[in-house]
Structure formats: structure tokens, C-alpha cells
Amino acid sequence: MGEDERQIRELIRHWVIAVHGGDLETVLAGHAEDIVMFDVPPPYDGVRGIEAYQRTWPPFFDWQASGAKFELVTLEVTAGSEVAFAHALLRCGTPDELAANPDNRLRLTFGLRKESGRWFIAHEHHSFPYE
């Protein structure tokens, strides 16, 4: 594993831990100012910019505080010298939801770019399988 891949894995793992813990500052820290996110809930045309991205998290953190899980299962990274992508599967749900459907996974895709020697998440896409 190269240094870029290691840095990206660390960035995403820290992000997952921060999301699970409701740590907004750390959730935002590794993101580009012009982040674009396509998420499970609306808006249907995505969230654009760090301020809009920031506003999406408080409702999720409220739900998360009810005892929901947000746990990394798999993470794959492909890194070039200035751009990279990663995809991950997470267990995401309340204990009842996970008990009812233990194989369900949140699917995440990340687009990253390197700026001044540091990796930033420039795109996130979140989805659940259609049931």
C-alpha cells in the first residue's frame, strides 16, 4: 500500500468514526470547500458546497444518537498522484433495522483530490440498495 492510499484510508476511517460520534468538526475537516454530495434523502439534485454539506448532518446526528450504528465493513481505495476514488460498505441502521435485515449495507463512493500535498473529499455518494 502506497502512502497516498494509506492517507486516504485514514481520512475515511476518521470520517466514519466522527460521523458515528456526532463530531461535526472532524466530519467536515477532510472535505473540499466545493464538496458535492448525493445522499439518500433529498435534495434530489445533491448538496453543493461545504456550508450546505454541514447543514445535512445535525438531523443525521439526532437519529444516530438514538442508538443507530455507522460502522465500516469494507473500504477499497484507488489513488493516483492528484485524484483518487474509494468505495465502502457500512452497517448503518438502528438495532431493530439491522436485526430485521442484517445484510443491508450503506454504499458510499468518494472522489478525492490532492491540494497542497493533502487529500480532500470532493465528492460523496451515499445509497442503500433498492428493496
Side-chain angles (χ1 to χ4, degrees):
M1 174 184 334
E3 181 61 19
D4 287 321
E5 182 180 337
R6 187 195 64 72
Q7 288 174 9
I8 292 165
R9 286 178 175 279
E10 184 176 312
L11 171 64
I12 293 170
R13 285 187 183 120
H14 281 113
W15 177 83
V16 169
I17 292 166
V19 168
H20 183 68
D23 178 358
L24 184 57
E25 183 178 335
T26 303
V27 168
L28 300 175
H31 287 73
E33 289 293 319
D34 61 346
I35 176 77
V36 174
M37 178 178 69
F38 299 137
D39 200 358
V40 174
Y44 297 118
D45 60 349
V47 173
R48 296 165 194 280
I50 196 72
E51 291 174 3
Y53 179 79
Q54 179 177 349
R55 289 191 298 271
T56 68
W57 288 106
F60 185 84
F61 291 156
D62 289 345
W63 173 79
Q64 182 78 24
S66 73
K69 303 288 184 195
F70 195 80
E71 300 172 341
L72 188 63
V73 175
T74 66
L75 175 60
E76 301 294 329
V77 175
T78 301
S81 61
E82 295 182 21
V83 295
F85 69 90
H87 54 87
L89 295 173
L90 286 86
R91 292 181 69 237
C92 180
T94 64
D96 289 343
E97 290 167 338
L98 294 172
N101 191 353
D103 294 327
N104 195 22
R105 298 291 181 261
L106 174 63
R107 303 172 299 189
L108 298 176
T109 304
F110 300 92
L112 301 99
R113 69 174 176 253
K114 198 177 215 181
E115 298 175 4
S116 302
R118 183 173 166 216
W119 287 101
F120 290 91
I121 298 170
H123 178 71
E124 286 180 32
H125 188 137
H126 308 187
S127 67
F128 278 105
Y130 180 74
E131 296 183 21

